[in-house]
Amino acid sequence: MANAIGGGRRAGVVAALGMSSGLAVHTAAAAFGLGQLFQAAPEALTVVRVVGAAFLVYLAIAALRSSRRDPMSVPLSAERRPIRRIYVMALLTNVANPKVVLFYLAFLPQFVTTGAGSWPLGVQIAALGATLIAIGLIIDSSTGILAGALSERIFSRAGVRRWLDRAAAAIFGGLAIRLALDGR
Protein backbone atom coordinates (compact mmCIF):
# COMPACT_ATOMS: atom_id res chain seq x y z
CA MET A 1 0.00 0.00 0.00
CA ALA A 2 2.81 2.43 0.87
CA ASN A 3 4.43 1.85 -2.50
CA ALA A 4 1.15 2.46 -4.29
CA ILE A 5 0.51 5.64 -2.35
CA GLY A 6 3.99 6.94 -3.14
CA GLY A 7 4.29 5.65 -6.68
CA GLY A 8 0.84 4.97 -8.07
CA ARG A 9 -1.01 1.88 -9.19
CA ARG A 10 1.90 0.37 -11.10
CA ALA A 11 4.16 0.60 -8.04
CA GLY A 12 1.48 -1.10 -5.94
CA VAL A 13 1.19 -4.01 -8.35
CA VAL A 14 4.99 -4.34 -8.61
CA ALA A 15 5.23 -4.43 -4.80
CA ALA A 16 2.57 -7.15 -4.75
CA LEU A 17 4.63 -9.12 -7.28
CA GLY A 18 7.73 -8.69 -5.10
CA MET A 19 5.87 -9.92 -2.02
CA SER A 20 4.53 -12.89 -3.98
CA SER A 21 8.05 -13.68 -5.16
CA GLY A 22 9.11 -13.68 -1.52
CA LEU A 23 6.34 -16.15 -0.78
CA ALA A 24 7.63 -18.29 -3.65
CA VAL A 25 11.04 -18.36 -1.94
CA HIS A 26 9.41 -19.43 1.33
CA THR A 27 7.34 -22.05 -0.48
CA ALA A 28 10.39 -23.50 -2.20
CA ALA A 29 12.30 -23.54 1.08
CA ALA A 30 9.43 -25.32 2.84
CA ALA A 31 9.06 -27.80 -0.02
CA PHE A 32 12.77 -28.61 0.12
CA GLY A 33 12.78 -29.16 3.86
CA LEU A 34 14.00 -25.89 5.37
CA GLY A 35 11.55 -26.48 8.19
CA GLN A 36 13.54 -29.53 9.22
CA LEU A 37 16.69 -27.39 9.30
CA PHE A 38 15.05 -24.86 11.63
CA GLN A 39 13.85 -27.65 13.90
CA ALA A 40 17.32 -29.21 13.97
CA ALA A 41 19.16 -25.87 14.34
CA PRO A 42 16.96 -23.24 16.01
CA GLU A 43 19.89 -20.82 15.81
CA ALA A 44 19.23 -20.53 12.07
CA LEU A 45 15.79 -19.07 12.79
CA THR A 46 17.41 -16.63 15.23
CA VAL A 47 19.69 -15.45 12.42
CA VAL A 48 16.67 -14.91 10.16
CA ARG A 49 14.97 -13.00 12.99
CA VAL A 50 17.97 -10.71 13.57
CA VAL A 51 18.43 -10.03 9.85
CA GLY A 52 14.71 -9.28 9.56
CA ALA A 53 14.87 -6.87 12.51
CA ALA A 54 17.88 -5.09 10.98
CA PHE A 55 16.07 -4.71 7.67
CA LEU A 56 13.02 -3.25 9.44
CA VAL A 57 15.30 -0.73 11.19
CA TYR A 58 16.66 0.25 7.77
CA LEU A 59 13.11 0.75 6.47
CA ALA A 60 12.18 2.80 9.56
CA ILE A 61 15.18 5.09 9.07
CA ALA A 62 14.40 5.53 5.38
CA ALA A 63 10.78 6.42 6.17
CA LEU A 64 11.84 8.85 8.89
CA ARG A 65 14.27 10.57 6.51
CA SER A 66 11.52 10.82 3.94
CA SER A 67 9.23 12.47 6.51
CA ARG A 68 11.71 15.30 7.00
CA ARG A 69 11.33 16.55 3.43
CA ASP A 70 8.78 19.20 2.66
CA PRO A 71 5.89 17.13 1.28
CA MET A 72 4.84 19.83 -1.14
CA SER A 73 8.33 20.72 -2.42
CA VAL A 74 8.62 17.68 -4.67
CA PRO A 75 5.85 16.63 -7.03
CA LEU A 76 4.58 13.12 -6.39
CA SER A 77 5.74 11.90 -9.81
CA ALA A 78 9.31 13.20 -9.24
CA GLU A 79 9.62 11.24 -6.00
CA ARG A 80 8.71 7.81 -7.31
CA ARG A 81 11.22 5.05 -6.77
CA PRO A 82 12.40 2.93 -9.67
CA ILE A 83 10.12 -0.05 -10.28
CA ARG A 84 13.01 -2.50 -9.90
CA ARG A 85 13.83 -1.09 -6.46
CA ILE A 86 10.20 -1.39 -5.38
CA TYR A 87 10.15 -5.03 -6.48
CA VAL A 88 13.45 -5.90 -4.75
CA MET A 89 12.49 -4.13 -1.50
CA ALA A 90 9.13 -5.93 -1.37
CA LEU A 91 10.84 -9.24 -2.08
CA LEU A 92 13.49 -8.69 0.61
CA THR A 93 10.94 -7.49 3.14
CA ASN A 94 8.99 -10.71 2.69
CA VAL A 95 12.00 -13.05 2.58
CA ALA A 96 13.55 -11.47 5.69
CA ASN A 97 10.32 -11.76 7.68
CA PRO A 98 10.70 -14.67 10.10
CA LYS A 99 6.96 -14.53 10.86
CA VAL A 100 6.35 -15.75 7.30
CA VAL A 101 8.82 -18.60 7.91
CA LEU A 102 6.98 -19.51 11.10
CA PHE A 103 3.64 -19.28 9.30
CA TYR A 104 4.84 -21.75 6.69
CA LEU A 105 6.21 -24.07 9.36
CA ALA A 106 3.02 -23.97 11.43
CA PHE A 107 0.32 -23.65 8.78
CA LEU A 108 1.21 -25.75 5.76
CA PRO A 109 1.94 -29.05 7.55
CA GLN A 110 -1.66 -29.11 8.80
CA PHE A 111 -2.87 -29.63 5.26
CA VAL A 112 -0.51 -32.27 3.96
CA THR A 113 -1.40 -35.93 3.90
CA THR A 114 0.71 -39.04 4.03
CA GLY A 115 0.04 -42.59 3.07
CA ALA A 116 -1.03 -44.49 0.02
CA GLY A 117 -2.23 -42.33 -2.85
CA SER A 118 -0.83 -39.10 -1.41
CA TRP A 119 1.27 -36.75 -3.47
CA PRO A 120 4.88 -36.43 -2.37
CA LEU A 121 5.24 -34.05 0.57
CA GLY A 122 7.25 -31.45 -1.38
CA VAL A 123 4.65 -31.38 -4.15
CA GLN A 124 1.82 -30.90 -1.64
CA ILE A 125 3.64 -28.01 0.04
CA ALA A 126 4.42 -26.44 -3.35
CA ALA A 127 0.75 -26.69 -4.37
CA LEU A 128 -0.42 -25.17 -1.08
CA GLY A 129 2.17 -22.41 -1.37
CA ALA A 130 1.12 -21.66 -4.95
CA THR A 131 -2.47 -21.32 -3.74
CA LEU A 132 -1.39 -18.88 -1.00
CA ILE A 133 0.66 -16.92 -3.52
CA ALA A 134 -2.25 -16.65 -5.96
CA ILE A 135 -4.66 -15.47 -3.27
CA GLY A 136 -2.10 -13.04 -1.85
CA LEU A 137 -1.29 -11.62 -5.28
CA ILE A 138 -4.95 -10.96 -6.00
CA ILE A 139 -5.52 -9.25 -2.65
CA ASP A 140 -2.23 -7.31 -2.61
CA SER A 141 -2.54 -6.18 -6.23
CA SER A 142 -6.10 -5.02 -5.64
CA THR A 143 -4.99 -3.11 -2.56
CA GLY A 144 -2.13 -1.55 -4.54
CA ILE A 145 -4.42 -0.50 -7.37
CA LEU A 146 -6.94 1.05 -4.99
CA ALA A 147 -4.26 2.82 -2.93
CA GLY A 148 -2.61 4.15 -6.09
CA ALA A 149 -5.91 5.48 -7.34
CA LEU A 150 -6.55 7.26 -4.05
CA SER A 151 -3.01 8.58 -3.57
CA GLU A 152 -3.51 11.87 -5.40
CA ARG A 153 -6.49 12.72 -3.19
CA ILE A 154 -4.57 11.75 -0.08
CA PHE A 155 -1.56 13.90 -0.96
CA SER A 156 -3.52 16.96 -1.99
CA ARG A 157 -3.54 17.93 1.70
CA ALA A 158 -0.39 19.51 3.09
CA GLY A 159 1.43 17.39 5.64
CA VAL A 160 -0.36 14.10 4.96
CA ARG A 161 2.67 12.53 3.29
CA ARG A 162 4.93 13.62 6.17
CA TRP A 163 2.51 12.11 8.69
CA LEU A 164 2.30 8.84 6.73
CA ASP A 165 6.10 8.59 6.50
CA ARG A 166 6.42 9.15 10.24
CA ALA A 167 3.71 6.57 10.94
CA ALA A 168 5.52 4.08 8.67
CA ALA A 169 8.81 4.79 10.48
CA ALA A 170 7.14 4.17 13.85
CA ILE A 171 5.53 0.94 12.63
CA PHE A 172 8.76 -0.40 11.10
CA GLY A 173 10.71 0.58 14.21
CA GLY A 174 8.16 -1.03 16.51
CA LEU A 175 8.14 -4.22 14.45
CA ALA A 176 11.95 -4.29 14.50
CA ILE A 177 11.99 -3.95 18.29
CA ARG A 178 9.32 -6.61 18.72
CA LEU A 179 11.14 -8.94 16.34
CA ALA A 180 14.49 -8.40 18.07
CA LEU A 181 13.00 -9.05 21.52
CA ASP A 182 10.80 -11.99 20.49
CA GLY A 183 12.81 -15.05 21.45
CA ARG A 184 10.29 -17.58 20.15
Side-chain angles (χ1 to χ4, degrees), residues 6-137:
R9 295 175 191 173
R10 182 174 178 216
V13 172
V14 169
L17 290 169
M19 290 173 19
S20 292
S21 297
L23 289 178
V25 170
H26 287 296
T27 298
F32 291 116
L34 190 60
Q36 293 173 352
L37 168 68
F38 287 139
Q39 288 175 347
E43 305 83 33
L45 189 56
T46 300
V47 169
V48 171
R49 187 172 43 90
V50 170
V51 169
F55 187 66
L56 287 169
V57 168
Y58 164 77
L59 292 175
I61 291 169
L64 190 58
R65 284 183 179 163
S66 178
S67 77
R68 292 185 177 155
R69 288 188 308 229
D70 179 8
M72 295 305 163
S73 67
V74 180
L76 185 60
S77 60
E79 186 173 291
R80 294 185 178 173
R81 287 186 273 164
I83 292 297
R84 179 183 168 122
R85 179 176 164 85
I86 291 170
Y87 174 84
V88 169
M89 294 302 283
L91 169 77
L92 291 176
T93 300
N94 194 296
V95 169
N97 185 347
K99 301 295 182 187
V100 178
V101 174
L102 293 174
F103 173 80
Y104 268 76
L105 295 177
F107 185 74
L108 291 183
Q110 298 178 49
F111 298 98
V112 297
T113 59
T114 57
S118 297
W119 290 359
L121 184 62
V123 173
Q124 290 182 61
I125 289 175
L128 290 167
T131 302
L132 288 173
I133 292 166
I135 293 168
L137 184 58

